Each structure stands twice: as C-alpha cells, then as structure tokens.
Amino acid sequence: MSDGFLEAASDLLGPRGLTRDAQVIEPWLTDWRGRYHGNALALASPANTREVAQLVKLCAQHRVPIVPQGGNSGMSGGATPDDTGRSILLSLRRMDAFRGWDEDARQVVCDAGVVLQTLHEEADKRGLRFPLTLGGKGSATIGGLVSTNAGGTQVLRHGTMRAQVRGLEAVLPDGTVLDTLAALKKDNRGFDLKQVLIGSEGTLGIVTAATLRLLPRIAARRVLFVGLASVQQARRLLLLAARQMGDALEGFEIMPRDALDAVLAYEPTARDPLEARHDWYALLELVADEAQAGELEGRATTLLESALEKALVEDATIAANETQAEALWALRDGISSAERAHGPAVQHDISVPPEAMPDFIEQASTKLEKSFAGTRAVAFGHLGDGNVHFHLRAPEGAQGGEWENADGKAISAAVHDLVTQWGGSISAEHGIGQMKREELARLADPAALTILRGVKQALDPLGIMNPGKLVPLASQRPAA
C-alpha cells in the first residue's frame, strides 16, 4: 500500500514536491521545543492548491495520515508526526506567493506558505501593515498562524489571527477545495466555515490561502520600558495607559526580573535599559497614524508623568529611535529562547480574565512553589489580554528530560487545575497540539468536547488529518 501510494505521490508532485531523503526530512521531525520527535513516510511540498487537493485525495484513498506543517515553530507539538512512520509531512513552504493586493480595500490574498516577516515587509512597501506579530515572525507561516489562531503582542488592540482573516481557501479531508476568499462584510449563508477551520490545527483541513486585513502603516511610535514594584502596579499602569492613550496603546507586555536576567545572560548584545533592578517590568508600545503622529511624543511623556505622580512606576525610559525601540522589544521577544537555554522548565500558555491576572500570578506562584519544592515560577507576556506564559523552572541540579518526565505532568495538572478554577483557559494562543490533548479531555466542558468530536467525525471520518492532535478521543475523558 505504501509503495503504491509513494509511486502515485511522486508522479503527482515530482522530485521537488516529494522526498524520502532522511537528511532533508530530519529537521522537520522534531518540534521547536525539542520535546516531540516522530517519523514520516515522506515530506510532501506541493506547488499549488490543485496539487494539495490531489495529494489529499490520494492520501484518503490509501488511508495515509497527513501532518500539516508551517514554520515548525509551534509550542504544543501540533506539527510533529507520531513515531510509526506511517504519516506524510505536508509542507506548504513552496506556496509562498501573494495572489493579489488591494490597497484601497486594505487587504491581501496570499498563499499559506508566506512567512509573516515577508508579509510585514511587503505591506510596508505599500504604506500598509499587517497587525499581528510575534517572536517567531521570521519562520512562522500564514497557514500555520491561521491553523493555530496565533496571538502575539498586538492582540490587546487588534485581536488574534481570527480577527485578521477575511477569507480562506482550504482543502478538506476528501480533497474538496473550500473557497471563501471573497471578503464579504455581510454573508448570512449559515455557519461561518472559515472560522471553523481557524484554530483547528490542521485536524479538519489544509489551509492553502487567506485573505487578510491590513491597516495603514504606522507614522510614529514610542516604546516605553518601565520598572515596577509589583505585578499589581503593572495592572494599574495598564488601566491608566488605556484611559489616556486609547487606541494608541497597541501593546502592553510584562516580565519579572528573573526573565530579564535570563535574557541578559543569554543574549551577548542585550543591555539592561534601567540603572536599578526592579521586581517587575512593563513594555508599552504606543503608535499613531499620520494625523496624530505629531502628538505622540507629548502624549507618551504625559503618560509617564501621570504614572510617576500616582507612584505606579519606579523608573522608565522611552526609546529615542527605532534601533533602541527594537532593542527593547528584543528583550521581550528573547524570553522564550533564554528560558529554554536557562535549564529545565515546564511551560504553560494560559489565560484568565484580565482583571484577575495579577492576583492569579501572585497566588498561583506562591501555591505552586510551595507544592513543588525548589521550583521557581516565572510569568511573562500579554497582561492586557489576560494571557501570560506561566513557567515553572526546575530545582537547581535537575536533569533536563528526567525532571520533566518525573514531575512535569503533575506540575502542569496543578497549573491547569488552578487556571480552570479561576475561569481561564489552558491554552490561550499556542493551541492544544498533542501536549495538552489529555488535559483538554480532563478539564473541558463535556458539551464542548462533544461538539469538537462531532465536527471532526463529520469532516474527517477517516481520521487522516493530523491524527493525535487537538481533539481528544472519547476514551480519554476520565470516568466521573
């Protein structure tokens, strides 16, 4: 069966589109965090939607599982195959064309393999911008961002990837092409099918193209880096900035001193922006269009003056130019890599109601550090939208891999229990993948699980689309 499939797939895609070369495939068999490793029958790289559709039909005919993969920068193992070697890796990185720009409508139609940073650069040439960014913008693809409903640092103002998608093209599990690329403002023909696919992690179909909304290019921005006494002060500063700056407040990120120390130790060019040490830091991004660009400097200064008068900040700096602004953002964007290099840790991408997040960070950190002796809680990220990356570092001397396998599941279960008690989500923006599938089965609303499984069964009855990811099996739900 596999020989017949491979021969047919090779005839369809040609030597550029299908490879079994182990050296070529190997880098794509391990997830970004290095936690999951699998095997694959082959790596398929179709050149267009027609080839994707024909390949999916072929896979359905031969019952070959498909594991779609964008930039392989996911955090939950959602793009890594299992170890059976029966799956085919499907990469759309060859499909990297811009199908059309409409500058008047402020939208673009692009293939799923377009890299986020490339989209940013091409939009900028046209006086436009795409309002979603994240640390992995140099590798993350549009298809991957859509499939995981990516978030990033601008969700506070612009929302997740779901809010950026105006239309979608996707290949369904039977090889049918769903085309909803037309960006209709009003369309009441039943379910919004593109929204069903967004965030489905490749379990319902293969996103091949998207129509994305664009905004006018920023005419001015100011990046502020402030030192704070507590995460509670960070929340108060956020509320003050929202009142005074309105839509000019585009990003509000927090990090504790531990996280900053990790970046300073890991990145040889990184520098501490402030003279004294502070327990917490906030990074604020303020932006303006052409009409308000001249006022932004004064408004940023007034905001800091107000914060100092109210004793919300201990010290602060405003980037004097773009180089300094990017250096400040590099401190935030470098946390994940620095944390990974620092040593073993269990990472969690969680959300609770934004107004409750400071209390959650303080209380959960104390409780977990007490329950798991020697661990250190580190929370950082998007305070404005109630999403932080909540890590527990291993005790000194712990061995990577051994500690995670011994204590990691118990720690994650404890974190997820607390998040659920606080009315939150165990996955704010990284998806479920294979890492959190069992926890979703344990903690999710039974009605939600029923719908997830029902949609999966209806669209993918053969179960060939990214098996083992996102959707828990019915048997995974513990008995009451």
Side-chain angles (χ1 to χ4, degrees):
M1 289 284 287
S2 65
D3 289 342
F5 166 76
L6 288 170
E7 182 178 353
S10 181
D11 290 343
L12 169 65
L13 301 177
R16 286 194 65 196
L18 189 80
T19 181
R20 298 197 71 191
D21 187 321
Q23 290 185 327
V24 174
I25 300 174
E26 179 60 31
W28 309 109
L29 296 178
T30 302
D31 74 306
W32 184 83
R33 281 179 167 162
R35 290 188 173 181
Y36 300 99
H37 182 82
N39 293 297
L41 192 62
L43 172 64
S45 304
N48 51 54
T49 301
R50 179 188 61 81
E51 288 187 357
V52 175
Q54 292 182 354
L55 177 64
V56 171
K57 286 181 181 179
L58 191 62
C59 288
Q61 178 185 345
H62 289 270
R63 304 298 194 269
V64 174
I66 303 169
V67 180
Q69 194 174 91
N72 197 30
S73 54
M75 300 287 194
S76 299
T80 305
D82 62 23
D83 59 4
T84 64
R86 293 182 57 249
S87 301
I88 187 167
L89 270 177
L90 177 59
S91 168
L92 299 191
R93 285 180 284 272
R94 285 180 67 198
M95 294 176 56
D96 60 356
F98 291 98
R99 300 190 186 182
W101 295 83
D102 190 330
E103 296 174 22
D104 292 333
R106 295 178 185 165
Q107 63 189 36
V108 59
V109 181
C110 60
D111 282 345
V114 169
V115 172
L116 178 58
Q117 184 169 328
T118 303
L119 173 58
H120 287 166
E121 293 168 355
E122 291 299 317
D124 185 68
K125 293 176 184 177
R126 294 165 172 80
L128 299 167
R129 66 175 176 129
F130 180 63
L132 184 145
T133 192
L134 35 75
K137 62 185 178 182
S139 58
T141 65
I142 297 304
L145 295 170
V146 171
S147 297
T148 57
N149 186 30
T153 58
Q154 295 172 309
V155 172
L156 174 63
R157 182 180 178 191
H158 301 293
T160 63
M161 194 68 182
R162 193 179 296 280
Q164 319 311 324
V165 177
R166 289 181 171 175
L168 208 61
E169 178 188 85
V171 176
L172 301 180
D174 63 354
T176 301
V177 178
L178 173 69
D179 185 352
T180 66
L181 286 172
L184 302 175
K185 287 185 176 293
K186 299 179 75 172
D187 183 4
N188 211 10
R189 294 175 290 179
F191 306 130
D192 190 341
L193 299 178
K194 68 178 181 297
Q195 294 296 347
V196 174
L197 289 164
I198 297 171
S200 65
E201 301 185 35
T203 63
L204 302 180
I206 311 296
V207 173
T208 51
T211 303
L212 304 174
R213 76 165 182 144
L214 303 170
L215 297 176
R217 182 171 56 198
I218 293 171
R221 75 164 175 163
R222 291 294 180 270
V223 177
L224 287 61
F225 193 88
V226 305
L228 302 155
S230 70
V231 69
Q232 299 288 352
Q233 295 294 72
R235 171 69 181 170
R236 296 184 184 104
L237 177 61
L238 169 64
L239 296 176
L240 176 67
R243 287 195 301 268
Q244 290 194 194
M245 303 303 300
D247 284 345
L249 178 62
E250 181 140 313
F252 192 101
E253 302 285 306
I254 60 166
M255 67 182 80
R257 181 69 207 191
D258 278 358
L260 179 58
D261 281 339
V263 176
L264 295 175
Y266 178 72
E267 296 287 352
T269 60
R271 297 293 181 269
D272 193 332
L274 304 178
E275 292 184 4
R277 294 172 65 89
H278 303 273
D279 289 341
W280 284 88
Y281 298 88
L283 182 67
L284 289 73
E285 171 109 349
L286 309 177
V287 301
D289 57 19
E290 291 183 3
Q292 298 177 323
E295 304 173 2
L296 189 62
E297 179 71 34
R299 295 182 70 193
T301 302
T302 299
L303 172 61
L304 279 186
E305 290 173 349
S306 298
L308 287 166
E309 289 175 3
K310 297 177 183 295
L312 297 182
V313 303
E314 296 179 331
D315 195 8
T317 185
I318 302 178
N321 51 50
E322 283 298 302
T323 299
Q324 290 185 12
E326 289 302 314
L328 293 177
W329 268 109
L331 297 175
R332 164 61 185 91
D333 292 339
I335 295 177
S336 292
S337 296
E339 285 285 312
R340 184 173 63 169
H342 184 273
V346 184
Q347 297 93 357
H348 311 94
D349 158 48
I350 57 95
S351 65
V352 298
E355 63 276 9
M357 182 56 79
D359 289 339
F360 175 85
I361 291 173
E362 291 180 343
Q363 295 180 34
S365 297
T366 299
K367 183 178 181 64
L368 292 162
E369 288 174 355
K370 183 177 179 180
S371 298
F372 299 94
T375 60
R376 176 69 174 174
V378 179
F380 63 93
H382 325 303
L383 184 66
D385 55 50
N387 164 212
V388 298
H389 306 289
F390 194 89
H391 297 183
L392 255 75
R393 290 181 185 162
E396 290 295 328
Q399 295 297 312
E402 294 180 8
W403 177 77
E404 290 96 333
N405 291 333
D407 295 339
K409 284 192 174 182
I411 291 173
S412 290
V415 171
H416 294 156
D417 284 344
L418 287 172
V419 169
T420 303
Q421 290 167 20
W422 284 66
S425 169
I426 66 172
S427 179
E429 63 178 0
H430 289 167
I432 297 297
Q434 57 185 299
M435 183 171 73
K436 300 178 186 177
R437 196 172 75 143
E438 291 182 6
E439 285 291 84
L440 184 67
R442 183 174 73 89
L443 295 169
D445 180 350
L449 289 174
T450 297
I451 294 171
L452 282 175
R453 292 167 178 148
V455 172
K456 172 70 172 175
Q457 177 62 30
L459 294 184
D460 183 25
L462 300 178
I464 64 170
M465 302 303 300
N466 212 7
K469 316 294 171 40
L470 178 59
V471 183
L473 301 174
S475 59
Q476 283 186 272
R477 178 128 186 132

